[in-house]
Every structure is written in structure tokens, then in C-alpha cells.
Amino acid sequence: MRFTKLFAPTTKDAPKDAILPSHIYLVRGGFVSQIGSGIYNFLPLGKIVLDKIRTVVKEELDNAGAQEVMLGFVTPSTLWEESGRYAKFGKELLRFKDRKNNEFVLGPTHEEAMVDLVRNRVKSYKQLPLNLYQINTKFRDEARPRFGLLRGREFLMKDGYSFHESIEDMQREYALMEKTYSQILQRLGLDFRVVEADSGAIGGSGSKEFMVLADNGEDDIVFCKNPSCGYGANIEAAKSKDNFVFDSEVEMTPGEFHTPNISSIDDLSEFFHIPKSYLIKAVAKKAVYEDRDEVILYFIRGDDELQETKAQNIAKALELEDASEEDLKAAGLVAGFMGPIDLDVKFFVDERLKDRDLMICGANKEDYHFVGYSFKDKDFDYADLISVKKGDECIKCGGELDITKGIEVGHIFQLGTNYSEALNATFLDRDGKTKPFVMGTYGIGVSRLVAVVVEQHHDDKGAIWTKSTAPFTYDIIISNIKDDEQKRFGEELYQQLLNGGESVLLDDRAERFGFKMGDFELIGFPYAIIVGKGLKEGVVELVDRKTLTKQSVPKDEIFSKIKEL
Ligand code: ATP
Ligand code: MG
């Protein structure tokens, strides 16, 4: 490709709302352009990168025995009603009607559609297992589309669904997909971790996420510092060892205690001269359900923090909002003085508090706390509710836990029979019995990956593509296009590299050298070959985009030098 022919409108201006490097450089480098909130056009450079990633994804999946299909992006809402998700999915699901008044959705994910494709077509265990995937547009009307391609509303996803006769066989495929996804990310040149994930609202047993390490990631991932342990989990699923040690000096006579205006954990700890681990913290949330809102209380230890996703899952709520003073009043609660005593509202207690005694909690009475509270013999709803903190002890090995930022690029899921049961998708097993398919589902964000590569590989000048994702590997820059010798050699080298099967761009534009070099740095091709003044002395310069180091190479040796790279 010649730069004079390439449609790559680079610009100095970043979009006003762009704060992440990947967003800024993909727009400034002429890879993508925004056409609506969370909706992007791919320009030639962006399309090349997207296709390269798509190819890696496809090759690895095909190798693993999965088969590519393509389902309708527009899906009849009747399928979503069958699964029960039409009501549950909320506002992310974009719904509309056609001219005949039939209702449709723009597919945000395709479990229903894929089950529908397979049911009545696969009838016997003899046709199993089956792993079908597509690489197709998705639409999710995200509440806050942001960060360019990282969280769009329209995006490209590889979504796969596997069908099995048994849980064991599904788990075998799940392990194979973990390996396959890891190979995909390795080939793309990404530093990532596979972590245990929250299985969330979809239900099901095991689930793992593929997290690319990046300072700007939205996800917190917990991992054990002990290299031989390998524990890693999304903060939404992470657990740590309980580090509470009982202090034998602590004594309490059970009863109410006047605590005027003292309601925060810090103030209480000071007032009672006691560590926060002896206090019970009440966190009030308004849980949003399909048909109602409800105030729910979560009781955790004073030195712990509530993990919102865990809290939402245990309440089986569509969403959790902060409860306002009015919400609390309406529920008959006294803000700042809430405890698990004679409560009329629904509440959950962190599992670490089970059987604890000698604690202090709100007395559900203005300006009063209860001292000496005991959970012994209290038959409450206990669950893991808290967030792991940096430095906590690893649940697996007792080592030290650390937390780092990551971007979720893939998610694999042991789905089980939820969807096949709901949609009545069955097969005849070895004993001639009718059974619902056991399923797995596997997603990877193809367009998100375009941004993720830049998020992990960039500097203050622009993107730095990895070899497997670069739109072109080599950028031959003819320094002065009016210099016949430079032009001739540049053209020759270009042809030679093309004939040698290399991915190469020739910057033959009548622009200043500095401008062309700026584009090279912004767009981020792995290498530039500068054909400039040095040519008179028989040398060209090879620039490594990653380090921006220049190396003089005799012009007759540049071709073999490149072959070495
Ligand atoms: P997130 O927590 O980031 O919203 P998710 O849990 O909703 O992701 P899945 O439903 O598991 O994501 O979708 C599979 C993959 O699709 C994700 O791992 C991610 O790479 C990609 N993806 C999800 N939502 C978006 C989006 N709004 N824009 C771009 N890619 C997305
Ligand atoms: Mg999402």
C-alpha cells in the first residue's frame, strides 16, 4: 500500500471526551471514527487490525474444532420471552417493532438464538458434542458507553456455544476453550491473566475471565503473589482467608449503650476504644427488581467493605442503588444506628460474622448501639459479601494477595442446562432418555481487543502495534520525495519487500519528513525504514517503534536485515 492512496486521516485533535490512550490514538491515527454514542466506523487501518485479530480468533477456534456460523443480528423477541430474559435483561436490550408490529431485539448475546438453531436439529447424543461460534455485531444499549472501542454500544464479539451430553464433557470443552483463548491472547502479544469470575445473574457453576493487564482497566483483579500458587480472581468473585484473631482482653456486658451522634465506624471505634473488627457495619441498599424496589441491609465487619456485585447477586436484584435517608425512613430504619436486632427488612450477614460474639452494632434506635451482640445460634442468611483488600491472605495458600487493574477481553462459562431447559432443547441420550443439552458459552471481545492492544502497548507519541496486530509491519519513509535517488531506492525496496511477502506501506507523500515521521509514531507501525540523506553514503535507517532507536544499515543489507527480524 502507498500512503498517497491510503485513506488514513490522521489528526492532532483528540475527541473531547477521550481520556484513554487507546481512544485518543485510534481516533487521531485514523483507525476509527465515532458516528454516534458508542458506535464507531472502522477506517482502512482500523479494519485491517480488526480483521487480523478476527483471523487469529478464527484460526485458533477452528483448530480447536469449533465451527463458525452466523446468526441474525436482529432476533425475534419471542425467543427472549421463551428464556425469560425479555423481562430480565433491562435497558441494555434494544427492542423495536417492524411494520407488522412484530417485536424484535438487537442481539446483545445469542444464547437463545443458538439454542433455537440446534434444537430439533440435533436429536441424539451421537451428534454431540457440538461447538458453534460466530464473529458478529452485538448491540448493548450500555448506560455509559465510553473509552472508545472498549465500551461501545455496537461492537464485534466472538460468541461461542457448546452442546454436550454430560457435565463432564462440557467441562472438557470448557478447559479446551480456556487453552484456546489463552493461545489467542498470546498470539496477539498481550500480557493477561485468567481469573475466576463471578457467575452472576446467568447462574451456572464455573466461569473464568481473561484479563489483559492495563493501568486503565475497569476491573480489579486479585492475585496471589506466591508464584507457585497461581490463585487469581476478579474482585467480584475473590475470597481471602479470615484474618480475625480474638483479643482475650475484650469484655462486654450485653446491653444498649448511649452513643449520641456517634454513628460512623471510625467514630465508634474511637468512642469504644476498640478495633473496627469488633463493630458491625450496616450497609443499606435499594434493590431494584422487575416489579418493585426494596431496601436491603448488609451486615459486615467494621473493617470490611461491601462488594457490590456479591451483594447484588445474593439479593437476586437487577440493580443495587444507594438507599437514601427517605428510603430508610420509609422502611422504618434509623440511619447510622442499624443493627441485626428485631428487623423487619430483608438482610444478609457476611459469613465471617457467623458465630462471632462480643460485637457492637446499631440498636435500631436513634443515638443507641447494642454492645455485646452475639451471632451464636442466629439463623440468618450468611454469605460472602465483602471485598478482598490488598495484603489479605490468599484463600488457597495463605500467601499475600495483591490487586491490579485489568480489562476483561474474554469470558468462558459453564452454563449447564438453564437455556436448554427454558427453550425445551433436548436430545436422546445413550439410554434412550430425553435430556436437555448441557451447555457452555464463550465470549471474546474482538473490537474491544483492538483498543486493548493499544492500551497495553503505547507511549506518549502514539500506538505501538504488536507484530500480529499491526496494520503494516514496515513503513518505508522516503524523506524527500523530490530527491530522485531516494524515490528510486524507496520504490525498489517497496517492491522487493512486497515480493518477499512482507506487510509494507510506502510513505511516498510530498510532505515534510517530520510530518511523515509523526504519522509513523502516531499510527505505530512496528518498524520504519527511512530512506534519506544517508543514502548518498549508501545507508538507510531502521527505526524500532517500541524503543524509537535508530540503526544505520547499508542499503544492500536492509532486505536481509528485515528477513532476520
Ligand atoms: P463488561 O463487564 O466489560 O461489561 P460483560 O461481562 O458484559 O463485559 P460478556 O457478556 O461476557 O461481557 O461479553 C463477552 C465479551 O464481550 C467481554 O469479555 C468483552 O470483551 C466484550 N464486550 C462486552 N461488552 C462490550 C462493550 N460494551 N463494548 C465492547 N466489547 C464488549
Ligand atoms: Mg457488560
Side-chain angles (χ1 to χ4, degrees):
M1 174 59 83
R2 290 167 185 277
F3 221 135
T4 44
K5 300 276 190 295
L6 178 67
F7 177 50
T10 57
T11 150
K12 284 203 164 63
D13 305 313
K16 276 192 206 72
D17 63 331
I19 39 173
L20 296 197
S22 61
H23 189 183
I24 294 170
Y25 295 142
L26 286 174
V27 174
R28 284 194 49 213
F31 292 86
V32 299
S33 75
Q34 190 177 351
I35 184 175
S37 169
I39 309 177
Y40 284 84
N41 300 318
F42 281 76
L43 281 58
L45 288 176
K47 184 65 166 60
I48 296 172
V49 177
L50 186 71
D51 284 349
K52 283 193 137 182
I53 294 175
R54 181 192 197 123
T55 302
V56 171
V57 169
K58 178 171 171 55
E59 280 176 8
E60 292 298 330
L61 281 158
D62 289 354
N63 258 339
Q67 298 173 62
E68 188 174 0
V69 295
M70 197 165 101
L71 306 185
F73 172 40
V74 173
T75 315
S77 64
T78 44
L79 281 177
W80 283 73
E81 273 155 12
E82 261 189 84
S83 73
R85 278 210 291 188
Y86 196 61
K88 273 189 222 142
F89 215 84
K91 289 186 177 161
E92 276 191 25
L93 186 64
L94 190 69
R95 305 145 205 252
F96 59 96
K97 286 181 183 168
D98 68 4
R99 62 169 85 198
K100 292 184 181 143
N101 229 20
N102 294 317
E103 288 193 59
F104 292 89
V105 306
L106 286 186
T109 168
H110 280 81
E111 281 81 4
E112 287 83 355
M114 199 65 94
V115 171
D116 179 60
L117 182 80
V118 166
R119 68 175 165 187
N120 304 324
R121 292 190 177 85
V122 175
K123 294 181 174 144
S124 152
Y125 73 92
K126 289 178 198 152
Q127 295 161 280
L128 296 174
L130 190 61
N131 186 338
L132 300 175
Y133 75 94
Q134 60 171 343
I135 300 175
N136 205 352
T137 303
K138 295 275 178 278
F139 192 94
R140 293 183 183 178
D141 200 355
E142 297 268 355
R144 292 204 302 139
R146 58 192 184 279
F147 310 142
L149 296 182
L150 285 179
R151 186 169 299 285
R153 292 196 298 162
E154 185 181 290
F155 56 97
L156 193 67
M157 197 207 284
K158 172 264 149 180
D159 49 325
Y161 309 83
S162 67
F163 299 82
H164 308 271
E165 59 175 315
S166 66
I167 292 176
E168 294 70 37
D169 194 57
M170 178 268 289
Q171 285 171 339
R172 174 202 50 75
E173 188 74 10
Y174 177 79
L176 176 64
M177 286 299 113
E178 175 175 349
K179 191 169 142 233
T180 306
Y181 274 34
S182 299
Q183 277 162 358
I184 290 170
L185 299 178
Q186 268 154 21
R187 273 183 67 183
L188 296 177
L190 292 167
D191 187 9
F192 67 97
R193 279 176 207 263
V194 188
V195 302
E196 286 171 24
D198 143 51
S199 298
I202 318 183
S205 26
S207 136
K208 285 185 181 175
E209 282 168 344
F210 295 76
M211 293 285 185
V212 169
L213 305 187
D215 297 339
N216 294 317
E218 285 187 285
D219 286 277
D220 286 306
I221 51 182
V222 174
F223 65 94
C224 180
K225 281 183 162 176
N226 171 7
S228 64
C229 170
Y231 176 71
N234 189 316
I235 193 105
E236 297 173 349
K239 288 188 172 218
S240 59
K241 256 191 194 152
D242 189 353
N243 59 356
F244 177 75
V245 197
F246 185 69
D247 178 352
S248 55
E249 308 260 293
V250 170
E251 282 174 34
M252 292 181 193
T253 320
E256 282 181 2
F257 207 97
H258 193 215
T259 49
N261 280 323
I262 298 170
S263 59
S264 78
I265 291 290
D266 283 334
D267 291 350
L268 280 168
S269 168
E270 206 171 296
F271 182 85
F272 285 109
H273 301 288
I274 205 160
K276 293 176 194 171
S277 49
Y278 287 86
L279 303 173
I280 301 172
K281 190 195 278 185
V283 185
K285 292 283 170 188
K286 188 161 87 179
V288 180
Y289 294 96
E290 248 168 73
D291 49 350
R292 72 201 147 93
D293 293 346
E294 182 181 345
V295 169
I296 294 185
L297 293 184
Y298 297 93
F299 293 108
I300 59 179
R301 220 162 68 187
D303 55 342
D304 283 329
E305 297 296 332
L306 183 73
Q307 212 301 317
E308 295 260 341
T309 305
K310 291 179 181 176
Q312 181 182 336
N313 287 345
I314 191 75
K316 298 196 168 66
L318 296 177
E319 249 172 277
L320 279 193
E321 293 170 1
D322 287 336
S324 67
E325 294 247 356
E326 291 81 71
D327 293 331
L328 296 184
K329 233 183 233 153
L333 294 165
V334 193
F337 301 92
M338 297 178 289
I341 305 170
D342 300 331
L343 270 180
D344 265 345
V345 304
K346 189 160 161 187
F347 65 92
F348 297 96
V349 180
D350 184 54
E351 60 191 14
R352 294 188 193 206
L353 292 177
K354 201 169 184 178
D355 294 330
R356 273 284 304 274
D357 61 0
L358 298 184
M359 300 211 70
I360 300 175
C361 63
N364 295 324
K365 193 163 145 189
E366 188 80 33
D367 288 342
Y368 279 90
H369 275 82
F370 191 93
V371 173
Y373 184 81
S374 170
F375 283 99
K376 291 212 162 90
D377 305 319
K378 297 259 164 52
D379 187 21
F380 294 150
D381 286 326
Y382 295 94
D384 172 29
L385 298 175
I386 62 165
S387 213
V388 167
K389 296 185 287 292
K390 213 182 172 96
D392 278 359
E393 280 175 35
C394 174
I395 184 87
K396 237 169 123 185
C397 77
E400 193 185 337
L401 292 177
D402 203 351
I403 299 183
T404 187
K405 292 279 179 197
I407 304 174
E408 181 197 323
V409 295
H411 197 169
I412 58 173
F413 217 94
Q414 301 188 20
L415 200 53
T417 55
N418 305 12
Y419 287 88
S420 47
E421 274 174 36
L423 286 137
N424 198 20
T426 57
F427 67 99
L428 283 184
D429 76 358
R430 284 160 204 271
D431 306 319
K433 276 202 208 110
T434 303
K435 274 194 181 155
F437 296 109
V438 180
M439 292 178 62
T441 143
Y442 322 95
I444 193 161
V446 178
S447 56
R448 177 178 284 188
L449 275 167
V450 174
V452 164
V453 175
V454 181
E455 212 47 61
Q456 198 170 71
H457 302 278
H458 67 267
D459 59 15
D460 58 359
K461 293 187 158 62
I464 307 172
W465 295 100
T466 60
K467 280 187 196 149
S468 56
T469 57
F472 295 98
T473 313
Y474 302 100
D475 180 19
I476 304 176
I477 303 176
I478 300 175
S479 174
N480 176 7
I481 200 76
K482 290 188 192 124
D483 180 318
D484 287 340
E485 199 191 337
Q486 287 184 19
K487 196 174 167 198
R488 196 177 330 109
F489 185 77
E491 290 280 349
E492 260 175 44
L493 183 61
Y494 174 57
Q495 287 305 333
Q496 203 181 6
L497 287 179
L498 279 184
N499 295 341
E502 298 293 346
S503 145
V504 56
L505 180 71
L506 177 67
D507 197 343
D508 52 351
R509 294 175 299 173
E511 298 282 357
R512 283 180 302 107
F513 169 69
F515 181 80
K516 293 194 262 196
M517 196 59 192
D519 273 357
F520 159 69
E521 289 167 347
L522 173 62
I523 296 173
F525 305 110
Y527 299 99
I529 302 154
I530 304 173
V531 181
K533 287 199 189 97
L535 196 65
K536 283 204 164 39
E537 281 80 55
V539 294
V540 295
E541 278 180 305
L542 180 65
V543 188
D544 183 335
R545 174 64 188 85
K546 208 181 203 164
T547 55
L548 287 178
T549 47
K550 288 184 184 169
Q551 185 184 355
S552 286
V553 182
K555 66 175 186 167
D556 304 331
E557 287 169 28
I558 185 71
F559 186 71
S560 50
K561 178 93 198 165
I562 280 169
K563 283 285 159 199
E564 273 168 34
L565 285 173

PDB file of all heavy atoms in Angstrom, residues 140 142 149-153 155 157 408-411 443-445 447-448, ligand 1:
ATOM      1  N   ARG A 140     -25.529  -3.464  22.663  1.00  0.00           N
ATOM      2  CA  ARG A 140     -25.984  -3.340  24.055  1.00  0.00           C
ATOM      3  C   ARG A 140     -26.129  -1.853  24.324  1.00  0.00           C
ATOM      4  O   ARG A 140     -25.172  -1.100  24.152  1.00  0.00           O
ATOM      5  CB  ARG A 140     -24.958  -3.931  25.029  1.00  0.00           C
ATOM      6  CG  ARG A 140     -24.832  -5.430  24.881  1.00  0.00           C
ATOM      7  CD  ARG A 140     -23.860  -6.020  25.891  1.00  0.00           C
ATOM      8  NE  ARG A 140     -23.719  -7.449  25.652  1.00  0.00           N
ATOM      9  CZ  ARG A 140     -22.915  -8.247  26.328  1.00  0.00           C
ATOM     10  NH1 ARG A 140     -22.163  -7.760  27.295  1.00  0.00           N
ATOM     11  NH2 ARG A 140     -22.848  -9.528  26.037  1.00  0.00           N
ATOM     12  N   GLU A 142     -25.629   0.258  26.418  1.00  0.00           N
ATOM     13  CA  GLU A 142     -24.898   0.479  27.668  1.00  0.00           C
ATOM     14  C   GLU A 142     -25.301   1.821  28.286  1.00  0.00           C
ATOM     15  O   GLU A 142     -25.486   2.810  27.569  1.00  0.00           O
ATOM     16  CB  GLU A 142     -23.386   0.506  27.396  1.00  0.00           C
ATOM     17  CG  GLU A 142     -22.811  -0.796  26.854  1.00  0.00           C
ATOM     18  CD  GLU A 142     -22.289  -1.716  27.943  1.00  0.00           C
ATOM     19  OE1 GLU A 142     -22.285  -1.313  29.122  1.00  0.00           O
ATOM     20  OE2 GLU A 142     -21.896  -2.849  27.604  1.00  0.00           O
ATOM     21  N   LEU A 149     -13.539   2.152  21.715  1.00  0.00           N
ATOM     22  CA  LEU A 149     -13.935   0.775  21.392  1.00  0.00           C
ATOM     23  C   LEU A 149     -14.040  -0.107  22.636  1.00  0.00           C
ATOM     24  O   LEU A 149     -14.567  -1.214  22.572  1.00  0.00           O
ATOM     25  CB  LEU A 149     -12.920   0.143  20.441  1.00  0.00           C
ATOM     26  CG  LEU A 149     -12.789   0.769  19.046  1.00  0.00           C
ATOM     27  CD1 LEU A 149     -11.774  -0.031  18.232  1.00  0.00           C
ATOM     28  CD2 LEU A 149     -14.135   0.791  18.327  1.00  0.00           C
ATOM     29  N   LEU A 150     -13.535   0.360  23.766  1.00  0.00           N
ATOM     30  CA  LEU A 150     -13.535  -0.501  24.956  1.00  0.00           C
ATOM     31  C   LEU A 150     -14.950  -0.765  25.452  1.00  0.00           C
ATOM     32  O   LEU A 150     -15.274  -1.867  25.868  1.00  0.00           O
ATOM     33  CB  LEU A 150     -12.708   0.118  26.079  1.00  0.00           C
ATOM     34  CG  LEU A 150     -11.190   0.052  25.901  1.00  0.00           C
ATOM     35  CD1 LEU A 150     -10.504   0.713  27.074  1.00  0.00           C
ATOM     36  CD2 LEU A 150     -10.710  -1.383  25.757  1.00  0.00           C
ATOM     37  N   ARG A 151     -15.783   0.261  25.455  1.00  0.00           N
ATOM     38  CA  ARG A 151     -17.172   0.047  25.863  1.00  0.00           C
ATOM     39  C   ARG A 151     -18.076   0.779  24.905  1.00  0.00           C
ATOM     40  O   ARG A 151     -18.496   1.901  25.131  1.00  0.00           O
ATOM     41  CB  ARG A 151     -17.416   0.479  27.311  1.00  0.00           C
ATOM     42  CG  ARG A 151     -18.827   0.119  27.779  1.00  0.00           C
ATOM     43  CD  ARG A 151     -19.025   0.287  29.266  1.00  0.00           C
ATOM     44  NE  ARG A 151     -18.131  -0.561  30.029  1.00  0.00           N
ATOM     45  CZ  ARG A 151     -18.288  -1.885  30.175  1.00  0.00           C
ATOM     46  NH1 ARG A 151     -19.320  -2.495  29.625  1.00  0.00           N
ATOM     47  NH2 ARG A 151     -17.434  -2.588  30.860  1.00  0.00           N
ATOM     48  N   GLY A 152     -18.330   0.099  23.790  1.00  0.00           N
ATOM     49  CA  GLY A 152     -19.222   0.671  22.801  1.00  0.00           C
ATOM     50  C   GLY A 152     -20.638   0.183  23.046  1.00  0.00           C
ATOM     51  O   GLY A 152     -20.902  -0.583  23.973  1.00  0.00           O
ATOM     52  N   ARG A 153     -21.553   0.653  22.225  1.00  0.00           N
ATOM     53  CA  ARG A 153     -22.894   0.069  22.242  1.00  0.00           C
ATOM     54  C   ARG A 153     -22.968  -0.969  21.116  1.00  0.00           C
ATOM     55  O   ARG A 153     -23.468  -2.065  21.292  1.00  0.00           O
ATOM     56  CB  ARG A 153     -23.951   1.160  22.069  1.00  0.00           C
ATOM     57  CG  ARG A 153     -23.997   2.073  23.306  1.00  0.00           C
ATOM     58  CD  ARG A 153     -25.246   2.887  23.359  1.00  0.00           C
ATOM     59  NE  ARG A 153     -25.356   3.767  22.223  1.00  0.00           N
ATOM     60  CZ  ARG A 153     -26.491   4.344  21.841  1.00  0.00           C
ATOM     61  NH1 ARG A 153     -27.604   4.125  22.495  1.00  0.00           N
ATOM     62  NH2 ARG A 153     -26.509   5.151  20.800  1.00  0.00           N
ATOM     63  N   PHE A 155     -20.680  -3.384  18.919  1.00  0.00           N
ATOM     64  CA  PHE A 155     -19.306  -3.888  18.923  1.00  0.00           C
ATOM     65  C   PHE A 155     -19.268  -5.289  18.315  1.00  0.00           C
ATOM     66  O   PHE A 155     -20.304  -5.905  18.055  1.00  0.00           O
ATOM     67  CB  PHE A 155     -18.723  -3.877  20.345  1.00  0.00           C
ATOM     68  CG  PHE A 155     -19.536  -4.647  21.361  1.00  0.00           C
ATOM     69  CD1 PHE A 155     -19.208  -5.957  21.690  1.00  0.00           C
ATOM     70  CD2 PHE A 155     -20.627  -4.058  21.993  1.00  0.00           C
ATOM     71  CE1 PHE A 155     -19.941  -6.666  22.637  1.00  0.00           C
ATOM     72  CE2 PHE A 155     -21.383  -4.760  22.934  1.00  0.00           C
ATOM     73  CZ  PHE A 155     -21.035  -6.068  23.253  1.00  0.00           C
ATOM     74  N   MET A 157     -18.174  -9.138  18.566  1.00  0.00           N
ATOM     75  CA  MET A 157     -17.844 -10.160  19.557  1.00  0.00           C
ATOM     76  C   MET A 157     -17.750 -11.513  18.879  1.00  0.00           C
ATOM     77  O   MET A 157     -18.485 -11.790  17.927  1.00  0.00           O
ATOM     78  CB  MET A 157     -18.930 -10.236  20.644  1.00  0.00           C
ATOM     79  CG  MET A 157     -18.491 -10.962  21.911  1.00  0.00           C
ATOM     80  SD  MET A 157     -19.832 -11.727  22.830  1.00  0.00           S
ATOM     81  CE  MET A 157     -20.577 -10.328  23.596  1.00  0.00           C
ATOM     82  N   GLU A 408     -11.322  -6.751  30.878  1.00  0.00           N
ATOM     83  CA  GLU A 408     -11.879  -8.052  30.502  1.00  0.00           C
ATOM     84  C   GLU A 408     -11.968  -8.136  28.983  1.00  0.00           C
ATOM     85  O   GLU A 408     -12.596  -7.306  28.343  1.00  0.00           O
ATOM     86  CB  GLU A 408     -13.273  -8.216  31.103  1.00  0.00           C
ATOM     87  CG  GLU A 408     -13.887  -9.556  30.756  1.00  0.00           C
ATOM     88  CD  GLU A 408     -15.387  -9.602  30.982  1.00  0.00           C
ATOM     89  OE1 GLU A 408     -15.879  -9.010  31.943  1.00  0.00           O
ATOM     90  OE2 GLU A 408     -16.058 -10.249  30.157  1.00  0.00           O
ATOM     91  N   VAL A 409     -11.314  -9.159  28.431  1.00  0.00           N
ATOM     92  CA  VAL A 409     -11.431  -9.341  26.978  1.00  0.00           C
ATOM     93  C   VAL A 409     -12.177 -10.621  26.630  1.00  0.00           C
ATOM     94  O   VAL A 409     -12.655 -10.779  25.513  1.00  0.00           O
ATOM     95  CB  VAL A 409     -10.056  -9.331  26.265  1.00  0.00           C
ATOM     96  CG1 VAL A 409      -9.415  -7.961  26.396  1.00  0.00           C
ATOM     97  CG2 VAL A 409      -9.147 -10.415  26.797  1.00  0.00           C
ATOM     98  N   GLY A 410     -12.266 -11.535  27.576  1.00  0.00           N
ATOM     99  CA  GLY A 410     -12.963 -12.779  27.266  1.00  0.00           C
ATOM    100  C   GLY A 410     -13.584 -13.360  28.524  1.00  0.00           C
ATOM    101  O   GLY A 410     -13.193 -13.023  29.652  1.00  0.00           O
ATOM    102  N   HIS A 411     -14.586 -14.209  28.301  1.00  0.00           N
ATOM    103  CA  HIS A 411     -15.315 -14.782  29.422  1.00  0.00           C
ATOM    104  C   HIS A 411     -15.782 -16.174  28.996  1.00  0.00           C
ATOM    105  O   HIS A 411     -16.425 -16.310  27.959  1.00  0.00           O
ATOM    106  CB  HIS A 411     -16.526 -13.882  29.714  1.00  0.00           C
ATOM    107  CG  HIS A 411     -17.126 -14.115  31.065  1.00  0.00           C
ATOM    108  ND1 HIS A 411     -18.064 -13.273  31.602  1.00  0.00           N
ATOM    109  CD2 HIS A 411     -16.930 -15.093  31.966  1.00  0.00           C
ATOM    110  CE1 HIS A 411     -18.412 -13.713  32.801  1.00  0.00           C
ATOM    111  NE2 HIS A 411     -17.744 -14.821  33.041  1.00  0.00           N
ATOM    112  N   GLY A 443     -17.186 -16.113  25.247  1.00  0.00           N
ATOM    113  CA  GLY A 443     -17.201 -14.852  24.507  1.00  0.00           C
ATOM    114  C   GLY A 443     -15.849 -14.177  24.507  1.00  0.00           C
ATOM    115  O   GLY A 443     -15.094 -14.267  25.482  1.00  0.00           O
ATOM    116  N   ILE A 444     -15.530 -13.518  23.406  1.00  0.00           N
ATOM    117  CA  ILE A 444     -14.290 -12.738  23.368  1.00  0.00           C
ATOM    118  C   ILE A 444     -14.578 -11.451  22.596  1.00  0.00           C
ATOM    119  O   ILE A 444     -15.252 -11.480  21.562  1.00  0.00           O
ATOM    120  CB  ILE A 444     -13.125 -13.583  22.785  1.00  0.00           C
ATOM    121  CG1 ILE A 444     -11.781 -12.916  23.017  1.00  0.00           C
ATOM    122  CG2 ILE A 444     -13.281 -13.881  21.328  1.00  0.00           C
ATOM    123  CD1 ILE A 444     -10.605 -13.905  22.894  1.00  0.00           C
ATOM    124  N   GLY A 445     -14.122 -10.328  23.136  1.00  0.00           N
ATOM    125  CA  GLY A 445     -14.454  -9.020  22.554  1.00  0.00           C
ATOM    126  C   GLY A 445     -13.490  -8.647  21.447  1.00  0.00           C
ATOM    127  O   GLY A 445     -12.408  -8.140  21.710  1.00  0.00           O
ATOM    128  N   SER A 447     -13.685  -6.370  18.815  1.00  0.00           N
ATOM    129  CA  SER A 447     -13.387  -4.941  18.620  1.00  0.00           C
ATOM    130  C   SER A 447     -12.766  -4.332  19.875  1.00  0.00           C
ATOM    131  O   SER A 447     -11.911  -3.452  19.785  1.00  0.00           O
ATOM    132  CB  SER A 447     -14.637  -4.167  18.194  1.00  0.00           C
ATOM    133  OG  SER A 447     -15.686  -4.346  19.125  1.00  0.00           O
ATOM    134  N   ARG A 448     -13.158  -4.820  21.051  1.00  0.00           N
ATOM    135  CA  ARG A 448     -12.516  -4.321  22.281  1.00  0.00           C
ATOM    136  C   ARG A 448     -11.026  -4.628  22.245  1.00  0.00           C
ATOM    137  O   ARG A 448     -10.206  -3.833  22.697  1.00  0.00           O
ATOM    138  CB  ARG A 448     -13.165  -4.961  23.513  1.00  0.00           C
ATOM    139  CG  ARG A 448     -12.515  -4.542  24.816  1.00  0.00           C
ATOM    140  CD  ARG A 448     -13.199  -5.133  26.034  1.00  0.00           C
ATOM    141  NE  ARG A 448     -14.450  -4.470  26.361  1.00  0.00           N
ATOM    142  CZ  ARG A 448     -15.146  -4.709  27.477  1.00  0.00           C
ATOM    143  NH1 ARG A 448     -14.712  -5.589  28.352  1.00  0.00           N
ATOM    144  NH2 ARG A 448     -16.281  -4.082  27.714  1.00  0.00           N
TER     145      ARG A 448
HETATM  146  P1  ATP B   1     -18.275  -5.986  30.870  1.00  0.00           P
HETATM  147  O1  ATP B   1     -18.233  -6.472  32.289  1.00  0.00           O
HETATM  148  O2  ATP B   1     -16.987  -5.350  30.419  1.00  0.00           O
HETATM  149  O3  ATP B   1     -19.487  -5.184  30.565  1.00  0.00           O
HETATM  150  P2  ATP B   1     -19.598  -8.362  30.098  1.00  0.00           P
HETATM  151  O4  ATP B   1     -19.397  -9.181  31.296  1.00  0.00           O
HETATM  152  O5  ATP B   1     -20.866  -7.660  29.891  1.00  0.00           O
HETATM  153  O6  ATP B   1     -18.402  -7.288  29.992  1.00  0.00           O
HETATM  154  P3  ATP B   1     -19.779 -10.602  28.297  1.00  0.00           P
HETATM  155  O7  ATP B   1     -21.257 -10.538  28.272  1.00  0.00           O
HETATM  156  O8  ATP B   1     -19.114 -11.710  28.996  1.00  0.00           O
HETATM  157  O9  ATP B   1     -19.206  -9.199  28.823  1.00  0.00           O
HETATM  158  O10 ATP B   1     -19.260 -10.467  26.798  1.00  0.00           O
HETATM  159  C1  ATP B   1     -18.103 -11.130  26.302  1.00  0.00           C
HETATM  160  C2  ATP B   1     -17.047 -10.157  25.857  1.00  0.00           C
HETATM  161  O11 ATP B   1     -17.570  -9.121  25.003  1.00  0.00           O
HETATM  162  C3  ATP B   1     -16.411  -9.382  27.001  1.00  0.00           C
HETATM  163  O12 ATP B   1     -15.399 -10.143  27.594  1.00  0.00           O
HETATM  164  C4  ATP B   1     -15.872  -8.163  26.293  1.00  0.00           C
HETATM  165  O13 ATP B   1     -14.588  -8.446  25.750  1.00  0.00           O
HETATM  166  C5  ATP B   1     -16.844  -7.926  25.168  1.00  0.00           C
HETATM  167  N1  ATP B   1     -17.765  -6.810  25.481  1.00  0.00           N
HETATM  168  C6  ATP B   1     -18.786  -6.816  26.363  1.00  0.00           C
HETATM  169  N2  ATP B   1     -19.415  -5.627  26.395  1.00  0.00           N
HETATM  170  C7  ATP B   1     -18.758  -4.828  25.499  1.00  0.00           C
HETATM  171  C8  ATP B   1     -18.919  -3.478  25.068  1.00  0.00           C
HETATM  172  N3  ATP B   1     -19.896  -2.721  25.567  1.00  0.00           N
HETATM  173  N4  ATP B   1     -18.071  -2.998  24.124  1.00  0.00           N
HETATM  174  C9  ATP B   1     -17.084  -3.770  23.620  1.00  0.00           C
HETATM  175  N5  ATP B   1     -16.884  -5.049  23.988  1.00  0.00           N
HETATM  176  C10 ATP B   1     -17.703  -5.585  24.915  1.00  0.00           C
END
